[in-house]
Amino acid sequence: LDHTSGIKGYTELAEFGDFGRLDRPRDELVKMFSGQPFDFAPGEEQIYNNSAFFLLGLVIEKASGMSYAAFVQQRLFDRVGMKDSYYCSERTVRKNHAHGYDTVAGVLVHKGFLDHDWPYAAGSLCSNTADLVAWNRALHGGAVLSAASYAAMTTPGVLNDGTALRYGLGIGLTD
């Protein structure tokens, strides 16, 4: 969770570009990145990595017996009163949902299609400002994690050589 695993990030693989628009089983994505050499030995460096969070989502599903989307809805959003937050979907039409934009040759265009099966636990959550405020208050106010888990999350990771990171377990750390 501190991005020191060395696992190859699937979003950095050329073959993921086309794959990300397809409806395929999740294990095919895992096969795609698990067959790659590590970027570095675990603990030697820190590079943001979506593959590790994808794997975390699979672990959450296995351990909870729930889909990741249902788990996040029940255990996080519902628990802290985030009424306008949900697992993103490219198929579901929602009132007041903003759409992403990009620029192509300096012109504003709708963001390209993305099947949310692929960002998955590495980022397919949709929310609004009020819910994000509620989330931050709950997370940092003791309503989500035990004191020990919160302390672990907010403690800087350390590389094998003793270098302290500005990152904890899934969260950037600043003064």
Side-chain angles (χ1 to χ4, degrees):
L1 296 179
D2 62 5
H3 302 293
T4 60
S5 69
I7 297 169
K8 177 65 76 179
Y10 68 87
T11 53
E12 285 69 53
L13 297 174
E15 57 268 38
F16 177 70
D18 291 332
F19 187 92
R21 290 184 280 279
L22 303 174
D23 183 15
R24 308 295 291 265
R26 286 194 179 132
D27 65 334
E28 287 189 32
L29 180 61
V30 174
K31 286 177 190 172
M32 181 190 301
F33 68 79
S34 66
Q36 300 291 322
F38 277 34
D39 287 334
F40 50 85
E44 291 297 314
E45 295 182 46
Q46 180 193 32
I47 298 176
Y48 185 87
N49 182 314
N50 287 314
S51 295
F53 280 88
F54 191 91
L55 292 171
L56 176 62
L58 296 174
V59 170
I60 289 169
E61 287 189 345
K62 184 75 169 173
S64 70
M66 305 167 72
S67 71
Y68 177 75
F71 180 89
V72 169
Q73 187 67 50
Q74 179 185 338
R75 303 277 181 91
L76 300 178
F77 297 154
D78 292 347
R79 183 174 174 186
V80 301
M82 298 170 67
K83 299 181 300 280
D84 294 313
S85 297
Y86 50 91
Y87 185 85
C88 304
S89 170
E90 68 284 348
R91 294 172 186 92
T92 303
V93 176
R94 293 184 181 265
K95 183 179 178 183
N96 297 325
H97 174 86
H99 296 277
Y101 293 91
D102 208 343
T103 55
V104 175
V107 176
L108 192 64
V109 297
H110 280 281
K111 191 76 174 161
F113 175 80
L114 174 68
D115 185 326
H116 282 281
D117 283 344
W118 305 126
Y120 181 53
S124 281
L125 301 180
C126 290
S127 193
N128 65 21
T129 304
D131 277 8
L132 292 175
V133 169
W135 169 251
N136 274 301
R137 286 182 177 152
L139 178 63
H140 299 294
V144 177
L145 299 172
S146 68
S149 291
Y150 184 81
M153 180 187 79
T154 58
T155 299
V158 179
L159 294 179
N160 294 342
D161 68 2
T163 302
L165 305 174
R166 294 181 55 98
Y167 204 83
L169 299 179
I171 191 168
L173 303 172
T174 61
D175 295 334

